[in-house]
Amino acid sequence: MNIAIVTPYYKEPRHMIERCLRSVAAQDLPVTHFVVSDGHPQDWIDDHPVRHLRLGRSHGDYGNTPRAIGGILAASEGFDAIGFVDADNWLAPDHASSCLQVAADAPEELDYVVASRCLARDDGSTLPFLTRDDRDGSHVDTNCFFLLPGSFHTLGQWGVMPKPLSVIGDRIYAGSLRAQGLRSARNPKVTVHYLCTWAFVFQAVGEPVPDYAKSSINLRETQAWWASLDERDRQIVDRLAAGAVRFNVSQEAA
């Protein structure tokens, strides 16, 4: 199996990117790491054993464009599985191998595997908190998609998704996979460490809110954009999103 992991990055601090790179390099089977600069390349990355791609400008879509480019490049080069990890997050050493094992054990051929995540502090420790969506499985975080060939045709969706939807891009993408009837299974092992940047989580567990934390996603601007579209524009948006966009998304969007 030839496995690729794709990481878009923007202006994340070096220590975060280095942590991400180390986690991919430490996988317990060989993995090729595509690291895609979204307009702000950091030259030191060239010294690491990764495929460092430099885009000439930033795209303002939460990494969707570099994610699509890295994923499509991996598919075109014949990789058998493609995962994602954002630059501020990191993977357990058995992330790729355990996702592949889930696919091998499935009673029917899968199109993708959904990894499980934990919310983490910047020091690497795990927060004692699960979002409602993580508990019921309704949300698939970007870092938890582990794509197999049956879903490679969807890689371009990250890049053509209308920018106002990119703030909830993983929800739009997950909805499109379900709408297409693609087969999936969840990896019960927690192999994705998601750096928690949501203030409400720290408040919920009674901890000080770190400087890098932010408020929950506010969809009012996106909803206003949607409301301004005419019928034809909404039809095009639905096509680009590969599913009907209806904004029944929870405000708890961590």
Side-chain angles (χ1 to χ4, degrees):
M1 294 286 289
N2 293 319
I3 303 161
I5 300 292
V6 177
T7 294
Y9 76 93
Y10 178 54
K11 294 181 179 180
E12 291 84 356
R14 178 168 176 166
H15 82 274
M16 289 186 180
I17 301 176
E18 286 182 324
R19 179 174 59 197
C20 175
L21 267 55
R22 286 195 303 270
S23 77
V24 177
Q27 293 298 296
D28 58 12
L29 45 72
V31 170
T32 299
H33 198 180
F34 290 80
V35 182
V36 189
S37 161
D38 195 20
H40 297 273
Q42 299 187 29
D43 293 341
W44 63 267
I45 295 175
D46 292 331
D47 296 330
H48 288 254
V50 301
R51 296 279 297 279
H52 189 195
L53 311 177
R54 300 165 182 250
L55 304 188
R57 51 162 291 185
S58 58
H59 295 83
D61 57 6
Y62 295 86
N64 281 355
T65 294
R67 189 174 295 114
I69 290 171
I72 290 172
L73 182 60
S76 74
E77 293 184 359
F79 282 83
D80 303 300
I82 301 170
F84 305 110
V85 60
D86 290 341
D88 55 351
N89 300 324
W90 62 99
L91 305 174
D94 62 346
H95 173 73
S97 62
S98 62
C99 286
L100 289 175
Q101 191 61 53
V102 168
D105 292 342
E108 58 181 356
E109 188 171 359
L110 299 181
D111 299 310
Y112 65 102
V113 174
V114 176
S116 297
R117 70 172 183 173
C118 65
L119 303 184
R121 304 177 184 89
D122 193 32
D123 65 5
S125 59
T126 299
L127 283 158
F129 187 93
L130 282 177
T131 66
R132 181 179 65 250
D133 294 341
D134 280 328
R135 289 194 299 270
D136 64 22
S138 60
H139 175 46
V140 182
D141 181 73
T142 304
N143 301 268
C144 296
F145 290 105
F146 190 82
L147 305 183
L148 302 169
S151 60
F152 284 1
H153 67 285
T154 68
L155 285 162
Q157 292 170 206
W158 290 107
V160 300
M161 186 186 305
K163 279 186 170 54
L165 298 179
S166 62
V167 66
I168 50 170
D170 48 9
R171 295 171 183 272
I172 297 295
Y173 185 70
S176 76
L177 299 187
R178 293 165 181 151
Q180 294 174 66
L182 302 189
R183 295 187 297 270
S184 68
R186 182 172 289 273
N187 182 358
K189 287 188 175 181
V190 175
T191 61
V192 174
H193 298 266
Y194 177 95
L195 178 66
C196 183
T197 58
W198 303 105
F200 78 89
V201 172
F202 292 95
Q203 293 165 347
V205 299
E207 295 186 10
V209 177
D211 293 339
Y212 58 80
K214 55 194 175 185
S215 301
S216 298
I217 290 173
N218 188 328
L219 295 179
R220 283 195 292 270
E221 289 187 7
T222 303
Q223 290 170 321
W225 162 80
W226 173 254
S228 71
L229 301 178
D230 62 25
E231 183 177 353
R232 173 58 175 167
D233 286 337
R234 290 185 183 185
Q235 182 183 62
I236 292 172
V237 167
D238 285 352
R239 290 176 181 176
L240 293 174
V245 178
R246 294 295 179 265
F247 293 107
N248 57 350
V249 178
S250 168
Q251 295 293 318
E252 184 182 298

